[in-house]
Amino acid sequence: MTFPKSLWAAAAGLTAAAVVVRRRLQARPADPAAPDRWLTVTINCEPGEVQPEKLPSPLSEYGERIETRIRPAPGDRGTELAVRPTQPQPTTAHSVPARLTGDDPRQDLRRALREAKALLEAGEVLQPDTPPTTRETPGGKLVGLLSRRARGEGVL
């Protein structure tokens, strides 16, 4: 038995929506008044090479609006660089629609953290030469939506 393409596209859309909802529910802090959680990356360099006063430009532009934590990564595997906003964010900014439309303020901080990691490790931020090619089919629209979301979140 074969299924029509539109049924496969609908199933893929429902699966993607379920993943977003599951991640949202898992990321919800127990206390709504609690500060935002730390966003962390592991950088392939010695802990002494990363200085809080000399962070790369994507993070240094945040200034006092972020709190920074630098420590050795477990197992001598580099350095952990963690940041979080100093001011609590409104709960509506973390909603699923805000994340899908790119209005979640944490997305910019995640992007800055990834760019800082690239600058500290490679000295430059690598960008793709061409955007992904997708067709205007239901599946292609889903891939386009997930690709746009991944730029801010760092994950699909």
Side-chain angles (χ1 to χ4, degrees), residues 101-151:
T101 59
D103 294 332
D104 185 348
R106 295 175 301 175
Q107 289 180 342
D108 289 332
L109 187 55
R110 285 186 189 101
R111 185 178 301 114
L113 189 60
R114 284 193 315 276
E115 289 177 5
K117 172 185 168 76
L119 287 168
L120 288 167
E121 289 181 344
E124 64 180 318
V125 179
L126 299 177
Q127 299 290 334
D129 292 339
T130 58
T133 57
T134 57
R135 297 182 183 184
E136 289 299 317
T137 62
K141 290 179 182 179
L142 177 63
V143 169
L145 172 70
L146 293 174
S147 297
R148 285 190 302 277
R149 180 184 179 274
R151 288 187 198 115

Side-chain angles (χ1 to χ4, degrees), residues 79-97:
T79 304
E80 281 188 356
L81 174 60
V83 296
R84 70 177 175 184
T86 55
Q87 299 295 318
Q89 303 293 319
T91 55
T92 56
H94 304 310
S95 66
V96 173

Side-chain angles (χ1 to χ4, degrees), residues 39-45 50 71-74 76-82 113-114 116-118 120-121:
L39 303 172
T40 307
V41 294
T42 301
I43 301 170
N44 188 20
C45 65
V50 182
R71 64 182 180 189
D76 292 330
R77 295 181 185 232
T79 304
E80 281 188 356
L81 174 60
L113 189 60
R114 284 193 315 276
K117 172 185 168 76
L120 288 167
E121 289 181 344

Side-chain angles (χ1 to χ4, degrees), residues 26-92:
Q26 289 175 347
R28 194 174 285 164
D31 178 14
D36 283 334
R37 63 187 176 153
W38 290 93
L39 303 172
T40 307
V41 294
T42 301
I43 301 170
N44 188 20
C45 65
E46 296 297 319
E49 296 177 31
V50 182
Q51 301 296 323
E53 308 84 32
K54 296 181 182 180
L55 291 174
S57 63
L59 285 179
S60 64
E61 292 170 2
Y62 278 90
E64 298 295 320
R65 294 181 295 152
I66 61 171
E67 186 178 351
T68 306
R69 181 174 66 191
I70 300 171
R71 64 182 180 189
D76 292 330
R77 295 181 185 232
T79 304
E80 281 188 356
L81 174 60
V83 296
R84 70 177 175 184
T86 55
Q87 299 295 318
Q89 303 293 319
T91 55
T92 56

